[in-house]
Every structure is written in C-alpha cells, then in structure tokens.
Amino acid sequence: ETVRLDGQMPASHSAVEMSGVSAAMKFEAAVEGFLKPLNGKFKLRATEVDFEPGGALGNHYHVGPGIRRVLAGELTVVDAETGREQQVGAGEYFYESGEKSFRVYNGGTQPAKLLVMELLPATLQGSAMVALARRSELEEEGKRLQKLLCPTE
C-alpha cells in the first residue's frame, strides 16, 4: 500500500503556502539494521530547502518527525499554536515532531538554506509537508503504522 497524501484532497486543502522557497530531495534510503520492526516500513530522507530573503513556508505538519539544521543564513521558526518564535542560525539545529504545526521564514537580507532530515513511512511518495486541513489524515496514518509495528496494542 502506498501512502500518497499529496493527491487525495482538493487542491484548496492540500497545498502548504510557500513563497520564495525551493526544495530538493538529496537522499532517501529504507531503514535497515538492528531495529528489525522498522526495517522496510520506514525510510530516512534528507531534503535541502532554500529560502530567499523574505521567503516563507506557511503553517504545516510533517508526515514524520525529524531534525533540521540551518546550513546558511538565519531562519525564524514559529510554533503555530503558541506563537513562540525561535531564531535559528547557520550551524544550529531544531526538531519538528510532525504533529505540531510550524511556519518558517527568512526575515533577513541574505538567502538561507535548511537541511530537513526526517523519518517517513517507506511507502510515502512526494512531499512530507501537509497542510493544516489534513491533520485527520495524518492521525489515521499514525494509527495504521502503530498497528503495523505493534499489532498487539
């Protein structure tokens, strides 16, 4: 079964607002190793995201959790629920659980680059960013994956 969240709802509900931002997936590999219950069910993905000065990603969720590292410039990460802002500069890291909504913008005068490293369902195709209107889909996918990994719960 393929998880493809980016094509299952009307365009008005599926897109994350973006301006002055471009992304390129750089690496993707299936999870393999000693954590046998995860093997073949998840993959790791690395994506570089470029932000022009003034560039922004609107409020969004992610299909899976991940670590982020600012490679160049400075970005502002805003928790959509609390409004708390965090300035993250080159060489610094932050974490997104996937189930909390954030927006990210470059308020500076220089371009910024973000490395997104995340754990995703192995069958996911396309973007791992999901618009706020699609939270219930993510919750259902989480339940499905939990049954796959923990069939007795």
Side-chain angles (χ1 to χ4, degrees), residues 90-112:
E92 295 181 325
Y93 296 84
F94 64 98
Y95 173 76
E96 285 186 279
S97 67
E99 67 182 357
K100 287 193 69 158
S101 174
F102 289 93
R103 69 181 181 273
V104 181
Y105 67 91
N106 179 359
T109 58
Q110 299 298 314

Side-chain angles (χ1 to χ4, degrees), residues 5-74:
L5 294 171
D6 59 347
Q8 296 174 350
M9 287 187 76
S12 61
H13 289 81
S14 63
V16 173
E17 191 175 317
M18 291 190 280
S19 173
V21 175
S22 62
M25 184 175 51
K26 296 297 186 175
F27 184 81
E28 187 173 274
V31 171
E32 298 175 0
F34 290 114
L35 299 174
K36 300 290 185 207
L38 302 182
N39 289 352
K41 296 176 182 119
F42 291 91
K43 62 184 170 185
L44 295 168
R45 179 186 286 177
T47 303
E48 288 183 358
V49 184
D50 291 304
F51 289 78
E52 298 173 6
L57 282 173
N59 291 333
H60 64 280
Y61 298 112
H62 281 265
V63 174
I67 295 170
R68 316 313 189 215
R69 182 171 192 234
V70 175
L71 299 175
E74 183 174 275

Side-chain angles (χ1 to χ4, degrees), residues 80-139:
E81 294 173 18
T82 66
R84 181 179 168 267
E85 293 191 2
Q86 176 185 0
Q87 303 295 320
V88 187
E92 295 181 325
Y93 296 84
F94 64 98
Y95 173 76
E96 285 186 279
S97 67
E99 67 182 357
K100 287 193 69 158
S101 174
F102 289 93
R103 69 181 181 273
V104 181
Y105 67 91
N106 179 359
T109 58
Q110 299 298 314
K113 183 182 288 281
L114 177 67
L115 175 61
V116 175
M117 297 164 281
E118 53 199 336
L119 179 68
L120 301 168
T123 55
L124 179 76
Q125 297 177 7
S127 176
M129 285 194 316
V130 179
L132 299 186
R134 301 179 67 196
R135 181 181 176 95
S136 63
E137 286 180 62
L138 293 175
E139 290 170 344

